[in-house]
Amino acid sequence: MRLTRVHVDAALTPGTIVELPRETASHLAKVLRARSGDQLVLFSGDGREYAGAVESVRGSRVTASVGDGSDVDRESPFSITLVQCVPRGDRMDFIVQKATELGVTRIVPVLSQRSVVRLDVAQAASKTAHWRAVVVNACEQCGRNRLPVIEAPAPLVEYLGSSAAAGAAPGTARFVLEPDVEAAAAPRAPETAAQIAVGPEGGFGDEELDAFRLAGFQRLRLGPRILRAETAAIAALTWLQTRFGDMRAVQA
């Protein structure tokens, strides 16, 4: 039987007792009906997994004992940064969840000229905390022991002018999805990493595409059809991991 995986936002030391996060503890106690002695897998994001067991259940509070740890690497050798314009509604939650499952290393939410979503400072901070919780839940489900970084949402022009966009490591390719680019265009293949930008509902503006070009991004077309923002992100990440990462077919 597959054991429940629980992220603990603190260093884990074998032989100690930790209190589990409130929402996770409530789910264990009220939904899974956890009892003392039930086995768990604990991780803190440092790349290790720890054997764990429920120590006590008191209402919605659950503590767990920490057992031996082991290095379990489920990270892709190919580092991907997803630069994602924030779509309206809850579709960003879906994108963050699936990007985490697909092994993305870093997620950079941005707001562009045609973005419907507008966020003030407080809203941006709230969204960042919420998306980090989505990342944690996705890592618990998919088996990752390192959390992808999720940045606070910021205007696209700030990202393109930052050292994060300009100072990528050698061997990094930069792509911006553009459905109108010539189908025959052959983008340079990345060596070790990639940054890929996905636009808002109406696509990037011409000035923004020029700014991407000046920042070293190549325009990339994923087939002849126009994809929704959330579909484009998943398709792009799957393409990158299949071509250059750890989703290549392995024959038994």
Side-chain angles (χ1 to χ4, degrees):
M1 184 178 73
R2 183 177 179 183
L3 299 179
T4 300
R5 286 169 44 85
V6 178
H7 174 260
V8 178
D9 193 15
L12 294 171
T13 303
T16 61
I17 304 295
V18 295
E19 183 163 347
L20 301 186
R22 183 177 59 185
E23 289 188 8
T24 301
S26 179
H27 180 74
L28 285 169
K30 296 180 179 180
V31 179
L32 299 182
R33 305 292 184 186
R35 296 290 182 267
S36 178
D38 288 356
Q39 301 298 300
L40 304 168
V41 175
L42 307 175
F43 70 104
S44 65
D46 64 355
R48 293 172 64 80
E49 286 183 350
Y50 295 80
V54 173
E55 184 73 13
S56 67
V57 180
R58 295 189 177 95
S60 294
R61 298 184 64 181
V62 178
T63 60
S65 59
V66 183
D68 292 336
S70 59
D71 293 315
V72 181
D73 185 10
R74 298 189 180 97
E75 297 303 302
S76 174
F78 186 75
S79 177
I80 304 174
T81 294
L82 172 64
V83 182
Q84 176 70 53
C85 282
V86 180
R88 59 181 174 228
D90 60 359
R91 288 186 288 171
M92 189 65 181
D93 290 12
F94 181 81
I95 292 170
V96 169
Q97 180 190 67
K98 300 311 172 189
T100 301
E101 292 176 24
L102 289 167
V104 73
T105 306
R106 184 164 160 259
I107 302 170
V108 183
V110 293
L111 304 172
S112 68
Q113 293 175 359
R114 297 175 180 171
S115 293
V116 176
V117 175
R118 292 288 183 264
L119 302 171
D120 59 27
V121 174
Q123 290 170 327
S126 176
K127 286 289 188 184
T128 304
H130 173 73
W131 292 329
R132 187 177 187 276
V134 174
V135 164
V136 167
N137 289 337
C139 285
E140 288 177 336
Q141 182 275 323
C142 74
R144 292 183 67 174
N145 291 315
R146 294 189 185 277
L147 306 182
V149 174
I150 183 145
E151 305 285 353
L156 175 62
V157 291
E158 288 187 14
Y159 171 73
L160 290 177
S162 70
S163 58
T172 300
R174 301 183 180 110
F175 303 112
V176 54
L177 296 190
E178 172 50 53
D180 293 331
V181 72
E182 299 235 352
R188 176 178 63 85
E191 297 175 17
T192 58
Q195 298 174 2
I196 189 153
V198 180
E201 288 85 344
F204 291 116
D206 292 338
E207 292 181 359
E208 291 173 327
L209 290 172
D210 286 340
F212 273 112
R213 178 180 57 80
L214 292 173
F217 281 74
Q218 309 166 76
R219 297 190 189 189
L220 177 68
R221 182 187 188 198
L222 292 177
R225 293 167 294 280
I226 296 176
L227 306 177
R228 289 182 178 272
E230 64 271 29
T231 309
I234 294 170
L237 295 175
T238 302
W239 174 73
L240 285 169
Q241 289 286 34
T242 303
R243 287 286 304 275
F244 311 108
D246 61 357
M247 293 181 68
R248 305 181 194 188
V250 177
Q251 294 189 0

mmCIF file with all atom_site columns, all heavy atoms in Angstrom, residues 51-71:
data_model
loop_
_atom_site.group_PDB
_atom_site.id
_atom_site.type_symbol
_atom_site.label_atom_id
_atom_site.label_alt_id
_atom_site.label_comp_id
_atom_site.label_asym_id
_atom_site.label_entity_id
_atom_site.label_seq_id
_atom_site.pdbx_PDB_ins_code
_atom_site.Cartn_x
_atom_site.Cartn_y
_atom_site.Cartn_z
_atom_site.occupancy
_atom_site.B_iso_or_equiv
_atom_site.pdbx_formal_charge
_atom_site.auth_seq_id
_atom_site.auth_comp_id
_atom_site.auth_asym_id
_atom_site.auth_atom_id
_atom_site.pdbx_PDB_model_num
ATOM 1   N N   . ALA A 1 51 ? 11.303 7.876  7.014  1.00 0.00 ? 51 ALA A N   1
ATOM 2   C CA  . ALA A 1 51 ? 10.246 7.008  7.512  1.00 0.00 ? 51 ALA A CA  1
ATOM 3   C C   . ALA A 1 51 ? 9.598  7.695  8.701  1.00 0.00 ? 51 ALA A C   1
ATOM 4   O O   . ALA A 1 51 ? 10.284 8.252  9.563  1.00 0.00 ? 51 ALA A O   1
ATOM 5   C CB  . ALA A 1 51 ? 10.824 5.656  7.926  1.00 0.00 ? 51 ALA A CB  1
ATOM 6   N N   . GLY A 1 52 ? 8.286  7.693  8.732  1.00 0.00 ? 52 GLY A N   1
ATOM 7   C CA  . GLY A 1 52 ? 7.582  8.337  9.834  1.00 0.00 ? 52 GLY A CA  1
ATOM 8   C C   . GLY A 1 52 ? 6.426  7.494  10.310 1.00 0.00 ? 52 GLY A C   1
ATOM 9   O O   . GLY A 1 52 ? 5.988  6.558  9.626  1.00 0.00 ? 52 GLY A O   1
ATOM 10  N N   . ALA A 1 53 ? 5.908  7.830  11.477 1.00 0.00 ? 53 ALA A N   1
ATOM 11  C CA  . ALA A 1 53 ? 4.750  7.136  12.027 1.00 0.00 ? 53 ALA A CA  1
ATOM 12  C C   . ALA A 1 53 ? 3.957  8.115  12.871 1.00 0.00 ? 53 ALA A C   1
ATOM 13  O O   . ALA A 1 53 ? 4.529  8.975  13.550 1.00 0.00 ? 53 ALA A O   1
ATOM 14  C CB  . ALA A 1 53 ? 5.173  5.936  12.870 1.00 0.00 ? 53 ALA A CB  1
ATOM 15  N N   . VAL A 1 54 ? 2.636  7.994  12.800 1.00 0.00 ? 54 VAL A N   1
ATOM 16  C CA  . VAL A 1 54 ? 1.781  8.843  13.622 1.00 0.00 ? 54 VAL A CA  1
ATOM 17  C C   . VAL A 1 54 ? 2.058  8.545  15.093 1.00 0.00 ? 54 VAL A C   1
ATOM 18  O O   . VAL A 1 54 ? 2.015  7.387  15.529 1.00 0.00 ? 54 VAL A O   1
ATOM 19  C CB  . VAL A 1 54 ? 0.289  8.610  13.289 1.00 0.00 ? 54 VAL A CB  1
ATOM 20  C CG1 . VAL A 1 54 ? -0.596 9.377  14.265 1.00 0.00 ? 54 VAL A CG1 1
ATOM 21  C CG2 . VAL A 1 54 ? -0.003 9.014  11.845 1.00 0.00 ? 54 VAL A CG2 1
ATOM 22  N N   . GLU A 1 55 ? 2.366  9.588  15.832 1.00 0.00 ? 55 GLU A N   1
ATOM 23  C CA  . GLU A 1 55 ? 2.648  9.436  17.259 1.00 0.00 ? 55 GLU A CA  1
ATOM 24  C C   . GLU A 1 55 ? 1.384  9.642  18.086 1.00 0.00 ? 55 GLU A C   1
ATOM 25  O O   . GLU A 1 55 ? 1.081  8.866  18.987 1.00 0.00 ? 55 GLU A O   1
ATOM 26  C CB  . GLU A 1 55 ? 3.725  10.439 17.679 1.00 0.00 ? 55 GLU A CB  1
ATOM 27  C CG  . GLU A 1 55 ? 4.182  10.313 19.120 1.00 0.00 ? 55 GLU A CG  1
ATOM 28  C CD  . GLU A 1 55 ? 5.053  9.098  19.362 1.00 0.00 ? 55 GLU A CD  1
ATOM 29  O OE1 . GLU A 1 55 ? 5.520  8.480  18.386 1.00 0.00 ? 55 GLU A OE1 1
ATOM 30  O OE2 . GLU A 1 55 ? 5.264  8.755  20.538 1.00 0.00 ? 55 GLU A OE2 1
ATOM 31  N N   . SER A 1 56 ? 0.647  10.716 17.778 1.00 0.00 ? 56 SER A N   1
ATOM 32  C CA  . SER A 1 56 ? -0.579 10.988 18.531 1.00 0.00 ? 56 SER A CA  1
ATOM 33  C C   . SER A 1 56 ? -1.554 11.758 17.658 1.00 0.00 ? 56 SER A C   1
ATOM 34  O O   . SER A 1 56 ? -1.157 12.484 16.741 1.00 0.00 ? 56 SER A O   1
ATOM 35  C CB  . SER A 1 56 ? -0.271 11.795 19.803 1.00 0.00 ? 56 SER A CB  1
ATOM 36  O OG  . SER A 1 56 ? 0.183  13.097 19.458 1.00 0.00 ? 56 SER A OG  1
ATOM 37  N N   . VAL A 1 57 ? -2.836 11.562 17.931 1.00 0.00 ? 57 VAL A N   1
ATOM 38  C CA  . VAL A 1 57 ? -3.903 12.290 17.254 1.00 0.00 ? 57 VAL A CA  1
ATOM 39  C C   . VAL A 1 57 ? -4.796 12.884 18.338 1.00 0.00 ? 57 VAL A C   1
ATOM 40  O O   . VAL A 1 57 ? -5.424 12.162 19.115 1.00 0.00 ? 57 VAL A O   1
ATOM 41  C CB  . VAL A 1 57 ? -4.739 11.369 16.337 1.00 0.00 ? 57 VAL A CB  1
ATOM 42  C CG1 . VAL A 1 57 ? -5.848 12.172 15.652 1.00 0.00 ? 57 VAL A CG1 1
ATOM 43  C CG2 . VAL A 1 57 ? -3.853 10.695 15.298 1.00 0.00 ? 57 VAL A CG2 1
ATOM 44  N N   . ARG A 1 58 ? -4.830 14.223 18.406 1.00 0.00 ? 58 ARG A N   1
ATOM 45  C CA  . ARG A 1 58 ? -5.664 14.913 19.384 1.00 0.00 ? 58 ARG A CA  1
ATOM 46  C C   . ARG A 1 58 ? -6.515 15.931 18.639 1.00 0.00 ? 58 ARG A C   1
ATOM 47  O O   . ARG A 1 58 ? -6.047 17.019 18.305 1.00 0.00 ? 58 ARG A O   1
ATOM 48  C CB  . ARG A 1 58 ? -4.808 15.608 20.436 1.00 0.00 ? 58 ARG A CB  1
ATOM 49  C CG  . ARG A 1 58 ? -4.013 14.641 21.311 1.00 0.00 ? 58 ARG A CG  1
ATOM 50  C CD  . ARG A 1 58 ? -3.362 15.375 22.476 1.00 0.00 ? 58 ARG A CD  1
ATOM 51  N NE  . ARG A 1 58 ? -2.653 14.456 23.351 1.00 0.00 ? 58 ARG A NE  1
ATOM 52  C CZ  . ARG A 1 58 ? -1.358 14.184 23.264 1.00 0.00 ? 58 ARG A CZ  1
ATOM 53  N NH1 . ARG A 1 58 ? -0.627 14.769 22.330 1.00 0.00 ? 58 ARG A NH1 1
ATOM 54  N NH2 . ARG A 1 58 ? -0.789 13.342 24.105 1.00 0.00 ? 58 ARG A NH2 1
ATOM 55  N N   . GLY A 1 59 ? -7.750 15.547 18.346 1.00 0.00 ? 59 GLY A N   1
ATOM 56  C CA  . GLY A 1 59 ? -8.601 16.414 17.541 1.00 0.00 ? 59 GLY A CA  1
ATOM 57  C C   . GLY A 1 59 ? -8.029 16.554 16.145 1.00 0.00 ? 59 GLY A C   1
ATOM 58  O O   . GLY A 1 59 ? -7.856 15.560 15.437 1.00 0.00 ? 59 GLY A O   1
ATOM 59  N N   . SER A 1 60 ? -7.727 17.796 15.766 1.00 0.00 ? 60 SER A N   1
ATOM 60  C CA  . SER A 1 60 ? -7.132 18.045 14.451 1.00 0.00 ? 60 SER A CA  1
ATOM 61  C C   . SER A 1 60 ? -5.620 18.224 14.531 1.00 0.00 ? 60 SER A C   1
ATOM 62  O O   . SER A 1 60 ? -4.989 18.650 13.565 1.00 0.00 ? 60 SER A O   1
ATOM 63  C CB  . SER A 1 60 ? -7.758 19.293 13.811 1.00 0.00 ? 60 SER A CB  1
ATOM 64  O OG  . SER A 1 60 ? -9.118 19.073 13.522 1.00 0.00 ? 60 SER A OG  1
ATOM 65  N N   . ARG A 1 61 ? -5.044 17.912 15.668 1.00 0.00 ? 61 ARG A N   1
ATOM 66  C CA  . ARG A 1 61 ? -3.585 18.019 15.827 1.00 0.00 ? 61 ARG A CA  1
ATOM 67  C C   . ARG A 1 61 ? -2.976 16.621 15.780 1.00 0.00 ? 61 ARG A C   1
ATOM 68  O O   . ARG A 1 61 ? -3.433 15.710 16.484 1.00 0.00 ? 61 ARG A O   1
ATOM 69  C CB  . ARG A 1 61 ? -3.234 18.714 17.147 1.00 0.00 ? 61 ARG A CB  1
ATOM 70  C CG  . ARG A 1 61 ? -3.742 20.137 17.233 1.00 0.00 ? 61 ARG A CG  1
ATOM 71  C CD  . ARG A 1 61 ? -3.279 20.814 18.509 1.00 0.00 ? 61 ARG A CD  1
ATOM 72  N NE  . ARG A 1 61 ? -1.817 20.950 18.562 1.00 0.00 ? 61 ARG A NE  1
ATOM 73  C CZ  . ARG A 1 61 ? -1.177 21.504 19.601 1.00 0.00 ? 61 ARG A CZ  1
ATOM 74  N NH1 . ARG A 1 61 ? -1.863 21.916 20.664 1.00 0.00 ? 61 ARG A NH1 1
ATOM 75  N NH2 . ARG A 1 61 ? 0.135  21.608 19.581 1.00 0.00 ? 61 ARG A NH2 1
ATOM 76  N N   . VAL A 1 62 ? -1.950 16.491 14.956 1.00 0.00 ? 62 VAL A N   1
ATOM 77  C CA  . VAL A 1 62 ? -1.294 15.196 14.781 1.00 0.00 ? 62 VAL A CA  1
ATOM 78  C C   . VAL A 1 62 ? 0.216  15.396 14.909 1.00 0.00 ? 62 VAL A C   1
ATOM 79  O O   . VAL A 1 62 ? 0.787  16.321 14.308 1.00 0.00 ? 62 VAL A O   1
ATOM 80  C CB  . VAL A 1 62 ? -1.614 14.585 13.402 1.00 0.00 ? 62 VAL A CB  1
ATOM 81  C CG1 . VAL A 1 62 ? -0.891 13.252 13.214 1.00 0.00 ? 62 VAL A CG1 1
ATOM 82  C CG2 . VAL A 1 62 ? -3.116 14.407 13.220 1.00 0.00 ? 62 VAL A CG2 1
ATOM 83  N N   . THR A 1 63 ? 0.848  14.542 15.688 1.00 0.00 ? 63 THR A N   1
ATOM 84  C CA  . THR A 1 63 ? 2.306  14.526 15.752 1.00 0.00 ? 63 THR A CA  1
ATOM 85  C C   . THR A 1 63 ? 2.807  13.224 15.138 1.00 0.00 ? 63 THR A C   1
ATOM 86  O O   . THR A 1 63 ? 2.082  12.231 15.065 1.00 0.00 ? 63 THR A O   1
ATOM 87  C CB  . THR A 1 63 ? 2.819  14.643 17.202 1.00 0.00 ? 63 THR A CB  1
ATOM 88  O OG1 . THR A 1 63 ? 2.323  13.535 17.962 1.00 0.00 ? 63 THR A OG1 1
ATOM 89  C CG2 . THR A 1 63 ? 2.368  15.951 17.824 1.00 0.00 ? 63 THR A CG2 1
ATOM 90  N N   . ALA A 1 64 ? 4.058  13.255 14.688 1.00 0.00 ? 64 ALA A N   1
ATOM 91  C CA  . ALA A 1 64 ? 4.646  12.070 14.053 1.00 0.00 ? 64 ALA A CA  1
ATOM 92  C C   . ALA A 1 64 ? 6.083  11.913 14.501 1.00 0.00 ? 64 ALA A C   1
ATOM 93  O O   . ALA A 1 64 ? 6.793  12.896 14.748 1.00 0.00 ? 64 ALA A O   1
ATOM 94  C CB  . ALA A 1 64 ? 4.587  12.201 12.529 1.00 0.00 ? 64 ALA A CB  1
ATOM 95  N N   . SER A 1 65 ? 6.504  10.671 14.608 1.00 0.00 ? 65 SER A N   1
ATOM 96  C CA  . SER A 1 65 ? 7.899  10.378 14.922 1.00 0.00 ? 65 SER A CA  1
ATOM 97  C C   . SER A 1 65 ? 8.688  10.299 13.630 1.00 0.00 ? 65 SER A C   1
ATOM 98  O O   . SER A 1 65 ? 8.183  9.864  12.593 1.00 0.00 ? 65 SER A O   1
ATOM 99  C CB  . SER A 1 65 ? 8.013  9.066  15.690 1.00 0.00 ? 65 SER A CB  1
ATOM 100 O OG  . SER A 1 65 ? 7.462  7.991  14.923 1.00 0.00 ? 65 SER A OG  1
ATOM 101 N N   . VAL A 1 66 ? 9.932  10.758 13.667 1.00 0.00 ? 66 VAL A N   1
ATOM 102 C CA  . VAL A 1 66 ? 10.801 10.783 12.488 1.00 0.00 ? 66 VAL A CA  1
ATOM 103 C C   . VAL A 1 66 ? 11.782 9.620  12.575 1.00 0.00 ? 66 VAL A C   1
ATOM 104 O O   . VAL A 1 66 ? 12.525 9.493  13.556 1.00 0.00 ? 66 VAL A O   1
ATOM 105 C CB  . VAL A 1 66 ? 11.572 12.116 12.390 1.00 0.00 ? 66 VAL A CB  1
ATOM 106 C CG1 . VAL A 1 66 ? 12.412 12.145 11.115 1.00 0.00 ? 66 VAL A CG1 1
ATOM 107 C CG2 . VAL A 1 66 ? 10.607 13.293 12.427 1.00 0.00 ? 66 VAL A CG2 1
ATOM 108 N N   . GLY A 1 67 ? 11.777 8.779  11.555 1.00 0.00 ? 67 GLY A N   1
ATOM 109 C CA  . GLY A 1 67 ? 12.703 7.651  11.501 1.00 0.00 ? 67 GLY A CA  1
ATOM 110 C C   . GLY A 1 67 ? 13.893 7.929  10.601 1.00 0.00 ? 67 GLY A C   1
ATOM 111 O O   . GLY A 1 67 ? 14.261 9.084  10.369 1.00 0.00 ? 67 GLY A O   1
ATOM 112 N N   . ASP A 1 68 ? 14.478 6.890  10.067 1.00 0.00 ? 68 ASP A N   1
ATOM 113 C CA  . ASP A 1 68 ? 15.671 7.032  9.235  1.00 0.00 ? 68 ASP A CA  1
ATOM 114 C C   . ASP A 1 68 ? 15.345 7.735  7.925  1.00 0.00 ? 68 ASP A C   1
ATOM 115 O O   . ASP A 1 68 ? 14.255 7.580  7.362  1.00 0.00 ? 68 ASP A O   1
ATOM 116 C CB  . ASP A 1 68 ? 16.264 5.653  8.936  1.00 0.00 ? 68 ASP A CB  1
ATOM 117 C CG  . ASP A 1 68 ? 16.835 4.988  10.175 1.00 0.00 ? 68 ASP A CG  1
ATOM 118 O OD1 . ASP A 1 68 ? 17.182 5.719  11.117 1.00 0.00 ? 68 ASP A OD1 1
ATOM 119 O OD2 . ASP A 1 68 ? 16.930 3.742  10.195 1.00 0.00 ? 68 ASP A OD2 1
ATOM 120 N N   . GLY A 1 69 ? 16.307 8.483  7.427  1.00 0.00 ? 69 GLY A N   1
ATOM 121 C CA  . GLY A 1 69 ? 16.155 9.183  6.162  1.00 0.00 ? 69 GLY A CA  1
ATOM 122 C C   . GLY A 1 69 ? 17.003 8.554  5.080  1.00 0.00 ? 69 GLY A C   1
ATOM 123 O O   . GLY A 1 69 ? 17.984 7.857  5.351  1.00 0.00 ? 69 GLY A O   1
ATOM 124 N N   . SER A 1 70 ? 16.613 8.795  3.841  1.00 0.00 ? 70 SER A N   1
ATOM 125 C CA  . SER A 1 70 ? 17.393 8.294  2.706  1.00 0.00 ? 70 SER A CA  1
ATOM 126 C C   . SER A 1 70 ? 17.265 9.275  1.546  1.00 0.00 ? 70 SER A C   1
ATOM 127 O O   . SER A 1 70 ? 16.249 9.967  1.409  1.00 0.00 ? 70 SER A O   1
ATOM 128 C CB  . SER A 1 70 ? 16.904 6.903  2.270  1.00 0.00 ? 70 SER A CB  1
ATOM 129 O OG  . SER A 1 70 ? 15.531 6.952  1.911  1.00 0.00 ? 70 SER A OG  1
ATOM 130 N N   . ASP A 1 71 ? 18.319 9.348  0.728  1.00 0.00 ? 71 ASP A N   1
ATOM 131 C CA  . ASP A 1 71 ? 18.292 10.206 -0.452 1.00 0.00 ? 71 ASP A CA  1
ATOM 132 C C   . ASP A 1 71 ? 17.467 9.531  -1.535 1.00 0.00 ? 71 ASP A C   1
ATOM 133 O O   . ASP A 1 71 ? 17.787 8.421  -1.959 1.00 0.00 ? 71 ASP A O   1
ATOM 134 C CB  . ASP A 1 71 ? 19.713 10.460 -0.965 1.00 0.00 ? 71 ASP A CB  1
ATOM 135 C CG  . ASP A 1 71 ? 20.528 11.295 0.004  1.00 0.00 ? 71 ASP A CG  1
ATOM 136 O OD1 . ASP A 1 71 ? 19.999 12.300 0.506  1.00 0.00 ? 71 ASP A OD1 1
ATOM 137 O OD2 . ASP A 1 71 ? 21.688 10.935 0.270  1.00 0.00 ? 71 ASP A OD2 1
#
